[in-house]
Amino acid sequence: FLRMLRPPSDKVLSPSAPPDATKAGEQKSTIITIILFSSQLEMKLKEVYGNLLATKAYKWKEYKSDAMGKMAELSDYYTGKQALTKVIRNEGLVSWFKDMGDEIGSLSYKEVYAAVTGRKIQHCIKALEDVEQFEVIDCNFHVKSFLCEVRDLLMQMVRIVGVKDEIVHTLKAMTDMSYGWEICKEYSNAIHARVQANPTTVTLLRGFFFKLETILDAPYRRMGLSCNFSKISLVKEYYQSNLLSVVTNILDIIPTSIFHILSQITAINSEMMRKLPSEIDVDSIKEFSQPDGRFELAKLTYRVSIFAEGLLDLDNVKIGDISLNPRHLLCDGLKGELYCLISEVLSQAVNFPLSQDVSDDVLVSIRKDVIKHFTALAKRVDRMQVALEYIQDFIGILGLKMWSDALSRIIHQSLNHEVKKYGERIEWSTKLKQDHDTSFSTDQATTNSVTFLGKIVNILLRLTDPQITIHSRECMGWFLDDGTEMCGKAMFSLLLKSIGVFGLSSLQHLISFRILFELKRFSKYYSGTVNQSAVLLEYIRDGLFPEWKTPEGAASFYARAVSNTERFALPVMTCLRRLGQLQLLRKMIREELWHSSQLESNISSVLLTFDKALLDGIKSAFHTSSHGSIPKENKPIIRDISQILSSNGVGDPLSTIFILSGPLEGLPELLLVFVVSNLSKLSFDTDFGSLVRLNKKFPIDGWPIVAGVSTLLKQFHPSYFKSLLAYFGQYIRSLLETNVTVEDGSKSKEPLISVEVVNMLIFVKQLGIISHIPTRTIHEYIPQYLFDIILC
């Protein structure tokens, strides 16, 4: 009591406090030791005494009945009528033992007669001792043992008489800790330090919490004396919630300690333990036994089991009217620690600067750093999962499920934070709503990414920059001009190991929101700037009409069109380049998810079948319904199956419709002029299977432009696609006619095929492949024999 009221940190109340922090910590540790052991003693004493009070009547009746029975047996014994006995009848002893039995039967344990009963029992014990002096009894060993047993029963009855309710009140007064209401919070750190040093301290917390509960007695007594009972429940709730916060703060050290042990297990598994091969030679068994490492693992898991056992021992502890749920506290604490640990690991993994230099050497250096950090992240994630799986049986939790839930919440919060920059918001599912949150400090008006998910997207965009790299659809990756791979399937496989399926799927969603942002920005630019030159686009359209006819003065017409729309070239190129780059990244992520699904779950056929059946049902309901809309009961199913299909890599991301935009007049004509103006800057590379830049100064790459054009046209009516294909066919015909060489006033039988014609045919072919345009549709505008002859 005196120590608690004189904390070492209080110089006013404790003038004799130790001058240095070390002695103050030792004093706190001593006080905590006294309190923990004394509270354990008090708890056990209360339990024992409570059991005595509860069984007082039953034991009194049992002991009295046994004593009376033995007296009756002794009385019958000296009648001499029992079989197999050779005792001479003794009327005096018969009468005496009978009277003693009646005397014992008249005893009462009630507190009113406690003093009289005690004296009567003492007289009975003295009388039983005196009767042994008779020679008849003194010579009989069996009778003396009977009398000894009766005296023992009477002594037990004396003890039962001494068990009174006042002792309970005395114990409550002695164990009251209401004086420590404020000061007990200062000793939380001391308890944490003791628990970390000695895990068995957890087993003493049960008694300590029972002692803390006595703090509520004083407020309850004051409320009982108060005449105003209207706000008693509020006062109770206030005191109980404050005390519960103290208790949970003390218990927070258990999951923290468990995760400290988890990090040690992770280190041992990665540094000391060797993985066992599928087959081991007899001579190598000793080498793979690794007794030192396994002994360390055994000690650490034993400490974990002690923590879990001590916490789960708090099952019946109550703080006022609130019952502690130790398993819930353990799971919540572990989830919180795991949440912080994963957040820290993911943030550190992508926390490295990206140089803005556009040279090849810098990009190669960035790729090495990225692979190094992602490889380290994948190894650390794998080790943490193994360690968590290793200890889950010792603490009775589902470790891998807890890992998956924590990682999903972190990724979802990161995604939600990144999406806010684009003016969008993702609705949280009930399953992912938790108290834990990761704080990100940034200005929402900026586009700089501060979460690990946004930084990963920035890294991928840096490695796949179309101004520097070349995308090869056949090689499934991005390369430099000399063939050095910058980003490919290996990179996305490494990402899958690092952030899992949910992380890779969320990465795809974030890229989708970025595409949506680019499309909205282009639509705004087109409506505000390009529409001001609607007359120019109308002039181009009139000059190209009809599409089946070659324009007059085709070469000069296309040259004028390119020159007049030159101010739109850079914004259009930037938009198409970004759209194509982002879409190709989504395509690579989908393919990685698809391959992972095929290897691990192989449920793609089931998903595709269900998806087809669902679409057929929706189409049938759509056509049969009077209002022509999707039934409400199907909308949740559509949303869920869409998420499942996306997570399994099913579907083509290039077919996604992101916005419902109104018609943009002149868009096919603008895209035609843009493609025509850049055809001469490209050439087909057979190694990459792509149109590549002729000069490094040209900030353009073939496949991103193709994907960008396809994505942009997917947002509008299919007639836009057909118009553009018709313009492409018209342009090819005009070039073929223009390139017919004139020799001696006559036309050459074999016209020269220009680079623009070849590039245009390749562009159209790739556009049809990536957009899933049927070949017959393309051949309506460009004859098949041109592809066969020129691209053979």
Side-chain angles (χ1 to χ4, degrees):
F1 173 78
L2 294 176
R3 292 288 187 184
M4 287 284 288
L5 287 185
R6 294 184 180 182
S9 59
D10 195 333
K11 296 181 180 180
V12 177
L13 293 177
S14 183
S16 61
D20 56 272
T22 304
K23 291 184 178 180
E26 292 176 356
Q27 182 176 351
K28 277 191 174 183
S29 177
T30 304
I31 295 173
I32 286 300
T33 302
I34 295 172
I35 290 177
L36 289 176
F37 282 103
S38 63
S39 61
Q40 189 75 3
L41 173 63
E42 293 165 5
M43 180 189 70
K44 292 184 177 180
L45 183 59
K46 288 180 179 179
E47 289 179 355
V48 171
Y49 203 82
N51 291 333
L52 287 176
L53 279 175
T55 59
K56 179 178 179 181
Y58 172 76
K59 288 186 177 296
W60 173 271
K61 185 177 180 181
E62 180 184 1
Y63 295 152
K64 186 170 74 170
S65 176
D66 290 347
M68 291 173 60
K70 291 183 181 297
M71 289 294 100
E73 290 179 13
L74 288 174
S75 179
D76 293 340
Y77 176 76
Y78 281 103
T79 58
K81 295 180 180 179
Q82 291 186 355
L84 302 178
T85 60
K86 297 180 180 180
V87 179
I88 301 173
R89 181 180 178 86
N90 190 327
E91 291 293 342
L93 290 177
V94 170
S95 176
W96 191 88
F97 283 120
K98 183 179 179 182
D99 293 341
M100 180 57 70
D102 295 338
E103 183 68 21
I104 293 174
S106 65
L107 297 176
S108 174
Y109 74 91
K110 294 182 179 181
E111 295 183 4
V112 181
Y113 310 105
V116 177
T117 301
R119 288 194 295 271
K120 285 184 177 181
I121 294 175
Q122 290 179 359
H123 290 315
C124 291
I125 293 173
K126 185 66 171 61
L128 292 174
E129 292 175 350
D130 293 341
V131 80
E132 287 186 5
Q133 305 301 321
F134 289 95
E135 183 179 359
V136 178
I137 296 176
D138 188 47
C139 296
N140 195 325
F141 174 76
H142 296 289
V143 174
K144 289 179 67 176
S145 66
F146 252 63
L147 293 176
C148 182
E149 291 176 4
V150 173
R151 287 199 300 271
D152 290 340
L153 292 173
L154 291 175
M155 288 298 297
Q156 293 292 339
M157 293 172 67
V158 170
R159 295 188 180 97
I160 289 176
V161 170
V163 177
K164 301 178 181 179
D165 292 335
E166 295 112 8
I167 299 179
V168 176
H169 301 298
T170 304
L171 283 174
K172 285 185 178 181
M174 292 173 61
T175 60
D176 180 37
M177 202 179 174
S178 57
Y179 57 86
W181 173 252
E182 294 293 337
I183 204 67
C184 66
K185 299 178 182 178
E186 295 190 10
Y187 288 84
S188 297
N189 294 332
I191 297 176
H192 290 173
R194 184 181 177 87
V195 169
Q196 287 182 323
N198 185 8
T200 56
T201 306
V202 179
T203 59
L204 302 176
L205 292 179
R206 178 182 176 86
F208 179 63
F209 292 154
F210 275 119
K211 188 175 183 67
L212 285 180
E213 191 185 6
T214 60
I215 294 176
L216 300 175
D217 293 341
Y220 287 178
R221 284 197 300 269
R222 290 197 299 270
M223 286 187 294
L225 297 174
S226 175
C227 298
N228 185 11
F229 296 97
S230 59
K231 298 184 179 180
I232 287 181
S233 60
L234 297 177
V235 177
K236 281 186 177 182
E237 183 179 352
Y238 168 77
Y239 281 101
Q240 289 176 5
S241 60
N242 277 271
L243 189 57
L244 185 62
S245 66
V246 175
V247 172
T248 52
N249 181 37
I250 293 174
L251 293 177
D252 283 343
I253 191 59
I254 296 179
T256 303
S257 302
I258 289 177
F259 265 85
H260 178 68
I261 296 173
L262 184 67
S263 62
Q264 296 179 2
I265 293 175
T266 303
I268 291 175
N269 282 329
S270 60
E271 298 173 3
M272 297 178 61
M273 303 299 295
R274 296 175 57 186
K275 290 187 177 181
L276 296 178
S278 57
E279 295 181 359
I280 303 176
D281 296 333
V282 177
D283 299 334
S284 304
I285 291 179
K286 184 177 180 180
E287 180 183 355
F288 281 100
S289 62
Q290 308 170 84
D292 295 337
R294 298 190 186 281
F295 179 68
E296 292 297 325
L297 286 177
K299 288 198 301 184
L300 292 174
T301 50
Y302 175 68
R303 290 170 65 91
V304 170
S305 64
I306 291 177
F307 280 125
E309 181 182 0
L311 185 60
L312 296 178
D313 190 44
L314 304 174
D315 198 15
N316 296 323
V317 175
K318 282 190 173 183
I319 304 299
D321 299 331
I322 305 173
S323 298
L324 285 181
N325 189 339
R327 185 169 296 278
H328 182 71
L329 291 174
L330 176 62
C331 290
D332 279 356
L334 291 176
K335 286 178 181 178
E337 291 294 327
L338 184 61
Y339 188 91
C340 297
L341 178 63
I342 297 176
S343 300
E344 181 181 359
V345 169
L346 292 176
S347 298
Q348 291 177 353
V350 294
N351 191 20
F352 56 91
L354 291 177
S355 176
Q356 298 302 320
D357 194 347
V358 295
S359 63
D360 293 354
D361 294 337
V362 172
L363 204 61
V364 171
S365 176
I366 292 175
R367 180 180 181 273
K368 290 180 180 179
D369 290 341
V370 170
I371 292 178
K372 177 182 176 182
H373 283 78
F374 283 171
T375 303
L377 174 61
K379 290 181 178 179
R380 189 169 182 184
V381 166
D382 181 65
R383 291 169 185 170
M384 287 192 295
Q385 287 180 338
V386 170
L388 195 60
E389 186 177 6
Y390 188 80
I391 68 169
Q392 65 180 357
D393 294 334
F394 294 94
I395 54 181
I397 62 169
L398 300 176
L400 294 182
K401 183 178 183 301
M402 188 178 294
W403 171 275
S404 177
D405 292 343
L407 182 61
S408 300
R409 289 198 304 273
I410 294 169
I411 292 173
H412 195 96
Q413 288 177 355
S414 177
L415 176 62
N416 199 5
H417 187 84
E418 290 291 335
V419 165
K420 287 180 182 177
K421 296 185 303 184
Y422 307 120
E424 304 291 338
R425 184 172 179 82
I426 301 176
E427 291 297 330
W428 286 71
S429 63
T430 307
K431 189 176 181 180
L432 290 173
K433 285 182 179 178
Q434 298 291 340
D435 296 334
H436 310 296
D437 192 9
T438 303
S439 58
F440 305 106
S441 58
T442 183
D443 184 6
Q444 293 184 8
T446 65
T447 58
N448 296 326
S449 298
V450 294
T451 69
F452 78 95
L453 207 59
K455 290 180 179 179
I456 290 176
V457 173
N458 289 342
I459 291 170
L460 294 177
L461 293 177
R462 187 74 175 85
L463 293 176
T464 61
D465 188 356
Q467 302 180 71
I468 308 173
T469 61
I470 299 171
H471 177 75
S472 174
R473 193 166 181 266
E474 285 75 11
C475 300
M476 299 179 66
W478 286 261
F479 303 85
L480 295 177
D481 295 337
D482 59 0
T484 304
E485 182 179 334
M486 287 291 99
C487 183
K489 192 176 186 310
M491 181 71 71
F492 291 97
S493 298
L494 195 58
L495 272 176
L496 181 62
K497 294 178 182 178
S498 302
I499 59 178
V501 173
F502 190 80
L504 208 57
S505 179
S506 298
L507 203 65
Q508 178 188 199
H509 291 318
L510 179 56
I511 294 174
S512 299
F513 279 104
R514 194 154 184 166
I515 293 173
L516 176 62
F517 174 75
E518 293 293 340
L519 288 170
K520 288 182 176 179
R521 187 160 65 174
F522 176 79
S523 179
K524 183 178 180 181
Y525 168 78
Y526 198 96
S527 301
T529 304
V530 178
N531 279 345
Q532 294 178 2
S533 303
V535 177
L536 174 61
L537 296 177
E538 185 70 24
Y539 165 76
I540 296 174
R541 183 165 58 244
D542 293 340
L544 296 174
F545 183 82
E547 293 85 356
W548 53 266
K549 182 180 178 182
T550 304
E552 295 182 4
S556 60
F557 175 80
Y558 285 115
R560 287 195 306 272
V562 170
S563 176
N564 292 334
T565 58
E566 186 177 0
R567 62 182 181 276
F568 305 135
L570 183 59
V572 172
M573 176 184 290
T574 303
C575 175
L576 295 178
R577 192 173 59 204
R578 289 175 178 174
L579 289 176
Q581 181 187 12
L582 293 169
Q583 282 287 61
L584 292 174
L585 284 174
R586 288 185 70 216
K587 182 70 174 177
M588 290 292 294
I589 292 174
R590 281 285 180 97
E591 289 179 355
E592 182 61 32
L593 291 173
W594 170 259
H595 293 152
S596 174
S597 174
Q598 292 290 306
L599 292 174
E600 296 179 5
S601 60
N602 196 19
I603 60 172
S604 56
S605 58
V606 178
L607 291 175
L608 291 173
T609 304
F610 182 80
D611 183 46
K612 185 177 183 303
L614 182 61
L615 288 176
D616 291 341
I618 292 174
K619 289 178 182 177
S620 176
F622 184 82
H623 290 300
T624 56
S625 62
S626 57
H627 50 279
S629 61
I630 300 174
K632 291 183 179 180
E633 60 272 11
N634 288 340
K635 290 183 179 180
I637 302 176
I638 295 173
R639 183 175 61 251
D640 295 340
I641 193 62
S642 176
Q643 293 177 356
I644 296 173
L645 290 172
S646 176
S647 299
N648 285 271
V650 179
D652 182 18
L654 293 166
S655 301
T656 306
I657 298 176
F658 293 94
I659 59 174
L660 296 176
S661 177
L664 297 182
E665 296 296 334
L667 180 61
E669 291 78 13
L670 184 63
L671 292 178
L672 168 68
V673 174
F674 169 77
V675 174
V676 167
S677 64
N678 289 281
L679 285 177
S680 59
K681 302 175 183 178
L682 301 171
S683 67
F684 184 74
D685 190 299
T686 55
D687 294 330
F688 293 124
S690 171
L691 291 170
V692 299
R693 64 186 73 85
L694 291 173
N695 191 327
K696 286 188 176 181
K697 295 182 180 180
F698 296 155
I700 191 172
D701 185 28
W703 275 113
I705 296 298
V706 173
V709 171
S710 174
T711 302
L712 186 60
L713 291 177
K714 282 286 184 181
Q715 315 310 311
F716 301 96
H717 194 271
S719 60
Y720 279 46
F721 238 125
K722 294 182 179 180
S723 297
L724 186 60
L725 289 176
Y727 291 148
F728 285 161
Q730 186 182 37
Y731 177 72
I732 293 173
R733 290 195 305 272
S734 64
L735 285 181
L736 290 176
E737 293 180 3
T738 304
N739 291 336
V740 173
T741 58
V742 180
E743 298 179 357
D744 299 331
S746 61
K747 294 185 178 181
S748 175
K749 296 181 180 179
E750 296 182 359
L752 297 176
I753 306 301
S754 65
V755 176
E756 287 82 358
V757 173
V758 177
N759 290 345
M760 179 60 80
L761 289 174
I762 294 173
F763 186 89
V764 173
K765 184 177 181 180
Q766 291 180 346
L767 183 63
I769 292 172
I770 207 170
S771 304
H772 303 288
I773 301 174
T775 54
R776 63 179 181 273
T777 303
I778 297 177
H779 294 158
E780 291 177 3
Y781 305 100
I782 304 174
Q784 182 178 357
Y785 65 84
L786 286 180
F787 291 98
D788 296 339
I789 295 174
I790 298 177
L791 301 182
C792 62

